[in-house]
Amino acid sequence: MRGEEAGRTKSDETRERILVAAVQRFSNFGYRRTSINDVAEEAGLARATVYLYWKSKEDLFVAGLERFHTYSRSLAESAAAKKGSAAERIHGMVMAQYGASSDIVHGTASGHEVFQANLKLGSAFVEECLRHGEELLTGLLKRGIRNGEFDLRRSSASAADVAHIIVSFAQNSLLDRHHTPASYRESLRKTLNFILDSIRA
């Protein structure tokens, strides 16, 4: 860790400072009501400094999305790699990754607007994140089948199909404006239990 910190330049630190400020500002005020000036003020920097790194608000927003999706992926990978049964690791992975998204979408003032802008401007990141999540889940489900925890022989679905169902539910439920972070997690937990109970050996 110290080696990584020592290798960071002042430019890297400034870029990270801007990104943190951008994520904070976009989450609280939305894409439309956030300007480069606002982000610069949040970061405690001059507007010209922000423009040295990004040419437009859209470029900055997309960079913030990339940062968040990288963070989200790392949460999923860490949870999937922990010890425990396949079901426990699936729960941990899905709740960690999508819980973090819900904290912004359902837990901030302009989370839903940010989510819609995310789908529009960051579609490539969204697609990659969904694909990555399905691959991790498929691997965990297959591990559960090999270990005798799950049995898909009663179903016409494959491990990849089940993974797709889980990811689709988690992603689409983010669109529900009635959710809070707590209610989203509870709904996700119950749905995961239902799906995994239906394929237990």
Side-chain angles (χ1 to χ4, degrees), residues 11-190:
S11 177
D12 292 332
E13 291 173 357
T14 301
R15 176 185 171 87
E16 181 68 9
R17 184 172 165 186
I18 295 169
L19 282 176
V20 170
V23 170
Q24 184 71 28
R25 199 77 186 193
F26 285 127
S27 297
N28 289 330
F29 297 96
Y31 179 77
R32 290 174 297 174
R33 290 192 296 154
T34 296
S35 67
I36 291 290
N37 281 346
D38 294 327
V39 174
E41 181 181 342
E42 184 82 26
L45 298 167
R47 181 179 68 170
T49 302
V50 178
Y51 277 115
L52 287 175
Y53 293 85
W54 292 280
K55 295 179 181 179
S56 67
K57 180 174 79 170
E58 181 177 325
D59 289 342
L60 178 55
F61 183 76
V62 171
L65 291 180
E66 183 177 15
R67 181 184 185 278
F68 178 77
H69 284 302
T70 299
Y71 167 69
S72 177
R73 284 181 55 149
S74 70
L75 289 178
E77 290 171 355
S78 294
K82 288 183 178 179
K83 293 181 179 179
S85 67
E88 289 170 341
R89 292 162 70 181
I90 287 169
H91 268 276
M93 180 211 138
V94 175
M95 299 300 285
Q97 180 171 8
Y98 285 95
S101 296
S102 177
D103 286 341
I104 292 179
V105 177
H106 302 124
T108 61
S110 298
H112 285 285
E113 185 201 331
V114 169
F115 186 58
Q116 293 295 339
N118 173 29
L119 296 176
K120 180 180 179 181
L121 300 176
S123 58
F125 297 127
V126 174
E127 291 292 332
E128 172 59 22
C129 197
L130 295 176
R131 183 194 62 76
H132 179 258
E134 288 189 19
E135 287 181 354
L136 281 178
L137 282 173
T138 299
L140 289 173
L141 287 161
K142 287 182 176 179
R143 179 186 294 271
I145 292 170
R146 289 195 301 271
N147 293 341
E149 189 176 344
F150 302 132
D151 186 352
L152 294 181
R153 287 176 296 181
R154 300 188 304 271
S155 168
S156 60
S158 66
D161 293 332
V162 176
H164 179 72
I165 291 169
I166 292 172
V167 168
S168 295
F169 177 83
Q171 178 76 5
N172 290 334
S173 293
L174 290 171
L175 294 167
D176 189 341
R177 291 176 176 269
H178 296 98
H179 272 313
T180 64
S183 69
Y184 174 84
R185 283 177 169 84
E186 180 63 12
S187 174
L188 191 54
R189 183 187 66 79
K190 288 180 177 179

